Amino acid sequence: MTFKYRLFPTAAQRTALQAQLDACRWVYNKTLEVRRDAWQDEQRSLSRYDTNKLLTQWKREPETEWLQQCHAQAMQEAQKRVDLAFRAFFQRVKEQNGKAGYPRFKSHRRYDSFTYPQEKGNWRFLDNGRVRLSKVGDVRIRLHRPLRGECKTLTIRRDALGNWYACFSCIVEPDLLPPTDRVAGVDLGLTTFAVLSNGERIPRRRWMQRDEKDLKRLQRRVSHLEKGTPERRKAVRALQHAHKRIANRRRDFAHQWSRRLVNEYQFLAFEKLDIADMQQDNFKSINRGIADVAWAQFVQFTAYKAEGAGRGFAQVDPRNTTQLCSGCGEIVRKDLSVRTHDCPHCGLVMDRDQNAALNILSRGLSAVGLDP
């Protein structure tokens, strides 16, 4: 479980944090370059431990001796990220018959965190509301909730607005909820955010549409200003604030409803949606709506909350969940304009989304070995 807290560094500490981040990004890109060239030139594959030895050499070279001022284990963690990126790449090649994205070099904007792999000698809490970070100093931290469990790693993250956060990855014992006999299938949609198998509906909030005028105004202002000017940087920051506000509202909505579902239901079943595939060959408005509802975020939040509470959770194949009759199992074809399921075989009439939610629940229960 990850606990995220806001940091409030001084100007000097911001410089030190940025120096750590820049060093880790340089090591990441250099490690990627070395591994790529070793294979292209010599058909030789370098391991993570081979690159760890190279890091020692880089720190001794005159042009990169500034790396000695940065935390060694944090830079080793950057090399670990490269190794994980290659492992994921090889797995995608195996699964997709050679069509997979090669690990990419990271620009300043695309590399926004570094990791202390262990607490001993790297960080520790102080009694004055600060956390001591190696190579940085005593940074003020806002502990808005207690830290629980055994801390394994600490990741320092910078967001697009330049704010810094401390993310503690901890091993936490499950906080089991009292068992209940309620189960539900959840059908996610665009008109209504979600419909449960018992008929309960979660209304959709149109986050982007709510601030659409403000976003358009800020985007026009950015496009009219010359790149590199202070005025444009100020306008870009205002636009980033607007998007951040929308993302925070969306995340809060997902947290609140996922917590409510986990508290009320012993078992929850969702469709396993391929969102990237759903956004192919659609109108821009539909793709924008799919991105705005953030189904994947909601399902992810529900999954980890269910695991921590001892609740059941499953994702099922979404094929024909809307067309299949939940009463008799026959296929009843209908297009998107038909919002009512009317089965000519068994006479079942109900909302099409609730019918789909019942089918999702049935498949979910079968997937975990329970009777629908």
Side-chain angles (χ1 to χ4, degrees), residues 139-342:
V139 184
R140 188 159 65 91
I141 186 172
R142 179 180 293 167
L143 295 172
H144 61 277
R145 60 170 175 166
L147 190 67
R148 298 187 291 117
E150 178 187 359
C151 292
K152 304 300 291 184
T153 64
L154 167 59
T155 298
I156 305 299
R157 185 175 299 277
R158 181 200 65 198
D159 68 7
L161 299 175
N163 301 319
W164 293 88
Y165 298 87
C167 305
F168 297 88
S169 295
C170 304
I171 299 177
V172 180
E173 293 296 325
D175 187 11
L176 303 181
L177 293 174
T180 177
D181 59 354
R182 301 186 70 190
V183 296
V186 183
D187 179 60
L188 300 172
L190 288 177
T191 305
T192 303
F193 179 77
V195 177
L196 276 60
S197 53
N198 60 4
E200 182 181 357
R201 308 174 78 85
I202 301 176
R204 177 187 169 186
R205 306 288 181 84
R206 299 180 183 272
W207 311 110
M208 296 293 291
Q209 188 177 37
R210 176 176 175 177
D211 290 348
E212 185 176 11
K213 290 184 179 180
D214 193 31
L215 287 175
K216 287 183 177 180
R217 176 181 60 82
L218 292 171
Q219 287 167 347
R220 284 196 301 269
R221 185 179 177 188
V222 169
S223 65
H224 292 160
L225 294 172
E226 185 179 353
K227 292 184 178 180
T229 61
E231 292 79 10
R232 183 183 173 91
R233 286 194 293 269
K234 184 177 179 180
V236 167
R237 187 170 179 83
L239 181 60
Q240 290 171 334
H241 267 292
H243 280 289
K244 180 82 171 177
R245 183 173 63 247
I246 294 170
N248 287 341
R249 290 170 179 165
R250 187 185 294 118
R251 188 181 302 108
D252 181 64
F253 174 85
H255 273 302
Q256 290 193 28
W257 275 101
S258 60
R259 171 50 59 193
R260 177 175 171 180
L261 292 181
V262 169
N263 287 349
E264 293 184 5
Y265 295 94
Q266 185 67 31
F267 177 82
L268 291 163
F270 288 81
E271 294 174 294
K272 191 173 184 178
L273 299 173
D274 187 344
I275 296 175
D277 183 66
M278 293 175 65
Q279 292 181 303
Q280 296 291 329
D281 302 324
N282 278 332
F283 293 107
K284 288 184 178 180
S285 58
I286 296 178
N287 290 338
R288 192 183 302 117
I290 292 174
D292 190 33
V293 291
W295 292 323
Q297 177 179 256
F298 178 70
V299 173
Q300 178 191 4
F301 288 178
T302 306
Y304 85 76
K305 286 182 173 69
E307 181 180 3
R311 303 300 205 198
F313 176 88
Q315 286 186 276
V316 302
D317 184 359
R319 185 177 304 172
N320 287 332
T321 52
T322 301
Q323 311 296 337
L324 191 69
C325 178
S326 59
C328 63
E330 295 290 336
I331 295 293
V332 182
R333 298 294 179 187
K334 59 182 82 69
D335 57 32
L336 286 175
S337 63
V338 179
R339 305 309 304 171
T340 301
H341 172 76
D342 187 354

